[in-house]
Amino acid sequence: MIDAYEDPGTPDRRGGARYLWWLVSRQPGRCAAGAMFGSVWMVLLAATPYLMSRAIDDGLEPGDMGALAFWSGALFVVGAFNAWLSIMRHRTMTRVRMDANFRTVKVVVGQAVRLGSSLSRQMGAGEVVTIGVGDVQTISQSLTVVGPGVGAVVAYLVVAALLISVSPLIAAVVLLGIPVIVLLVGPLLGRLQGSEAEYRERQGVLTARIGDLAGGLRVLAGLGGKNLVSDAFRRDSQRLREQGYRVGAVTSWVQALGIGLPTLFLAVVTWLAARLAARGHITVGELVSVYGYVAVLVGPVSFWVECGYQISRGLVCARRVVGFLRLEPMPDTGTRDAPSEPSALYDPESGVRVLPDRLTALVAEHPADAVTVVDRLGRYTPSDATWGGVRLEDIALDQIRDRILVADHESDLFAGSLQDMVRPASRGAGNCATSHNAPAAAAQHDTALQTALHTAAAEDVVQALPDGLNTHMAAQARNLSGGQRQRIRLARALLAAPEILLTVEPTSALDAHTEATVADRLREARHGRTTVVTTTSPLVLDRTDTVHYLVDGKVAASGSHHELLDTTPGYRALVARDNEEAVR
């Protein structure tokens, strides 16, 4: 079975069925063993009625105790061996399912890592969670068909051959009855796929909404919007429940037919065999064997219906996984080197020009417009933005990521100690310093960490925690307040010390006193480096070198904070928090 360090391979992304086949092809030996164990197990189940008929016809009916003992012993041996086969079949198929489960998890996680920052722009978090929580399990369950499913086919053919030796009429009824069952169940499986696909889609949307609610519940309560959002969530969950009922209705019919039709089938064949026995066309032992054969057939037929149900659901989930695997990160077609010296960033679409070594602010009537500009300047979306006169898309992406950092105020915070949460992943981390200068490097890092925390006014956050920097933090730092999380994110960005730092609303959740402190320290800490902030806070704007005022995503005015207050009414109305602020 695949382990944590094994390469899962390259999945087949051409469709749901091909992906399921890829999971089988990655473990051919195990799947073949499962098919063998399942086939022999089911065939020996069919052998039981044959041995019983021989015991009756050769031993019990003529009174031959030796033959009766022989066939009874053979029946016991076959039963014991089949019990062992059943254990091995179950163990093997469990390994098949677990391998498919872990392999799918690894390719999904690997794809999420490969997509990186572009993932959230292409697929919602709820959709990814639904794939990881539900779809992976359903896909693995559908691989049951390679074991008992194959065994059911083999057992059916063997039983059909045995029935032909007893009565061609009964064999014909059996051979024709199975296709009738398939024709009856087939349309339901197609309908199940459609209902299941719609249910999974709505489930992904609702899961995303749950995540949004968990993250913003405190804010909603403060704004008085908790009841409004809860009512909307209740309506959506009720619609999902109704869709689940529709899926359950189809599923119940499939499962009912899976049990009911084979049982009806058994009754018809038994009636025919009894009439043939009454007429003397078959012996009593053969009658018992026919009953046993058909009783055994209930298992394979039920397996077929169950496998059809599982494959139908597996295909729906596999298509969702394949759709996720088809997503592509932003292409890296850049071949040119980044500017060798500090240079200006320019976004022709908005007109924003960021001069090097300055603290620049973006103020927008609609905050999303400023975020869009930052995404273009950070090359997180296709654009004609330039750096030192060279299009960002023509520059190698690794050089851009090495020197330009976009710090989103909602960026992820991973679980672990606070120190690990703040420390950025460094490409040089793997090239550890030699033993004689390691202490100096550690001391230098500790100094940089303390400086970053000081600049972000986050020392009190560390001091309030029971174990300081070693305190374990929950994912997204849920055990901190919104303002504390914002300062931790800012400290992480500052510790990375990029040449160009683009920050989105770095102080929006802070009180006025803390915000002013952060603004002063940010200007000092980033002196001589290029920094961009999106904000409407006059406390931050008063400490910037240049402010670009955006209207409908375009630069309407540029200058210092005080110049725009005096000359641009729209800017003044947007950022002035009171009359005194407006006339400063």
Side-chain angles (χ1 to χ4, degrees):
M1 191 163 59
I2 187 171
D3 60 34
Y5 302 100
E6 183 180 345
D7 180 11
T10 303
D12 194 330
R13 301 180 297 175
R14 291 176 291 178
R18 289 182 179 273
Y19 180 81
L20 294 179
W21 176 248
W22 174 76
L23 291 175
V24 173
S25 65
R26 296 299 298 180
Q27 42 180 338
R30 193 178 294 117
C31 290
M36 181 193 70
F37 285 131
S39 299
V40 176
W41 173 66
M42 283 197 173
V43 168
L44 290 183
L45 286 178
T48 301
Y50 172 77
L51 296 174
M52 189 177 296
S53 69
R54 295 300 300 270
I56 294 173
D57 288 342
D58 297 348
L60 185 61
E61 192 169 293
D64 187 343
M65 298 305 296
L68 180 61
F70 173 78
W71 290 112
S72 297
L75 192 62
F76 173 78
V77 171
V78 169
F81 180 66
N82 220 23
W84 176 81
L85 281 177
S86 178
I87 295 173
M88 297 305 298
R89 173 191 62 84
H90 180 74
R91 286 182 177 179
T92 303
M93 291 313 304
T94 298
R95 291 189 174 96
V96 169
R97 289 188 289 266
M98 293 304 292
D99 184 280
N101 190 310
F102 294 150
R103 198 176 297 275
T104 300
V105 167
K106 290 194 72 172
V107 297
V108 167
V109 171
Q111 171 72 347
V113 172
R114 188 174 75 94
L115 290 173
S117 61
S118 65
L119 172 58
S120 60
R121 293 170 171 82
Q122 300 186 65
M123 180 174 285
E127 189 77 5
V128 179
V129 171
T130 302
I131 290 175
V133 174
D135 293 345
V136 170
Q137 184 68 22
T138 303
I139 287 172
S140 64
Q141 288 294 332
S142 68
L143 294 193
T144 301
V145 70
V146 305
V150 173
V153 175
V154 174
Y156 172 71
L157 296 176
V158 170
V159 170
L162 292 172
L163 285 174
I164 289 176
S165 66
V166 174
S167 169
L169 175 62
I170 295 177
V173 171
V174 171
L175 291 173
L176 293 176
I178 298 301
V180 171
I181 293 177
V182 173
L183 289 175
L184 290 174
V185 177
L188 287 175
L189 295 179
R191 182 179 174 185
L192 177 63
Q193 283 195 41
S195 300
E196 185 82 17
E198 184 177 352
Y199 177 80
R200 290 290 183 180
E201 183 178 350
R202 291 188 178 184
Q203 187 181 36
V205 173
L206 197 61
T207 304
R209 187 158 295 174
I210 291 174
D212 294 340
L213 285 174
L217 190 58
R218 185 178 304 174
V219 176
L220 287 171
L223 296 175
K226 185 170 63 174
N227 292 334
L228 180 64
V229 175
S230 66
D231 291 341
F233 180 80
R234 187 178 296 109
R235 289 193 298 270
D236 290 341
S237 61
Q238 288 174 350
R239 284 194 290 268
L240 179 65
R241 182 183 62 187
E242 292 170 359
Q243 182 63 27
Y245 286 155
R246 285 192 284 272
V247 173
V250 180
T251 301
S252 63
W253 274 105
V254 171
Q255 294 178 338
L257 291 175
I259 300 298
L261 288 178
T263 303
L264 180 61
F265 186 55
L266 171 64
V268 172
V269 174
T270 303
W271 178 78
L272 286 175
R275 288 182 59 85
L276 292 175
R279 294 175 180 177
H281 294 162
I282 60 175
T283 66
V284 174
E286 289 175 331
L287 172 62
V288 173
S289 68
V290 168
Y291 179 82
Y293 292 149
V294 179
V296 169
L297 275 182
V298 172
V301 173
S302 297
F303 266 121
W304 281 347
V305 176
E306 178 67 18
C307 286
Y309 165 67
Q310 293 290 353
I311 290 176
S312 178
R313 299 182 68 219
L315 285 172
V316 172
C317 296
R319 291 189 191 111
R320 289 164 56 87
V321 170
V322 167
F324 176 68
L325 296 178
R326 286 174 177 171
L327 300 178
E328 292 294 334
M330 182 179 296
D332 181 14
T333 57
T335 58
R336 301 183 61 176
D337 290 332
S340 58
E341 57 186 18
S343 302
L345 283 172
Y346 176 60
D347 175 35
E349 188 169 341
S350 63
V352 169
R353 184 179 297 276
V354 178
L355 298 178
D357 305 332
R358 294 174 68 86
L359 178 57
T360 303
L362 302 182
V363 178
E365 286 185 334
H366 305 289
D369 292 340
V371 175
T372 301
V373 173
V374 168
D375 282 345
R376 289 198 290 260
L377 294 177
R379 198 184 160 188
Y380 282 103
T381 188
S383 72
D384 293 323
T386 63
W387 184 13
V390 181
R391 291 180 74 249
L392 284 172
E393 293 188 356
D394 295 336
I395 301 174
L397 186 59
D398 61 337
Q399 296 188 35
I400 294 176
R401 296 289 177 259
D402 184 49
R403 296 170 61 182
I404 300 178
L405 173 63
V406 175
D408 194 321
H409 66 298
E410 294 182 350
S411 57
D412 291 317
L413 295 171
F414 299 101
S417 70
L418 179 61
Q419 184 168 211
D420 292 337
M421 185 175 283
V422 175
R423 181 188 296 117
S426 172
R427 294 196 312 275
N431 300 325
C432 297
T434 56
S435 58
H436 68 275
N437 62 12
Q444 184 179 7
H445 171 75
D446 291 341
T447 301
L449 177 59
Q450 294 300 326
T451 300
L453 292 170
H454 174 74
T455 303
E459 301 105 321
D460 63 322
V461 178
V462 178
Q463 294 167 3
L465 296 174
D467 297 319
L469 287 170
N470 295 320
T471 302
H472 180 79
M473 308 299 294
Q476 304 298 345
R478 297 295 187 196
N479 43 342
L480 298 179
S481 68
Q484 290 173 327
R485 286 196 297 269
Q486 193 169 54
R487 283 180 281 166
I488 292 299
R489 288 187 174 101
L490 179 58
R492 180 174 63 178
L494 292 169
L495 185 58
E499 177 184 325
I500 300 176
L501 176 61
L502 311 176
T503 63
V504 177
E505 297 287 351
T507 62
S508 59
L510 306 183
D511 61 78
H513 173 72
T514 306
E515 188 175 34
T517 300
V518 171
D520 287 332
R521 293 176 181 177
L522 178 64
R523 178 179 178 83
E524 179 182 352
R526 294 291 299 174
H527 178 71
R529 293 186 178 184
T530 306
T531 306
V532 176
V533 296
T534 70
T535 184
T536 57
S537 167
L539 295 173
V540 177
L541 294 169
D542 191 43
R543 285 134 176 106
T544 59
D545 298 309
T546 303
V547 178
H548 294 298
Y549 173 50
L550 304 176
V551 177
D552 296 331
K554 308 289 185 182
V555 174
S558 297
S560 69
H561 171 57
H562 295 289
E563 289 173 350
L564 294 181
L565 283 176
D566 294 336
T567 62
T568 310
Y571 176 83
R572 182 170 58 251
L574 181 63
V575 306
R577 295 181 176 177
D578 51 51
N579 292 333
E580 180 182 350
E581 192 75 49
V583 298
R584 284 181 55 185

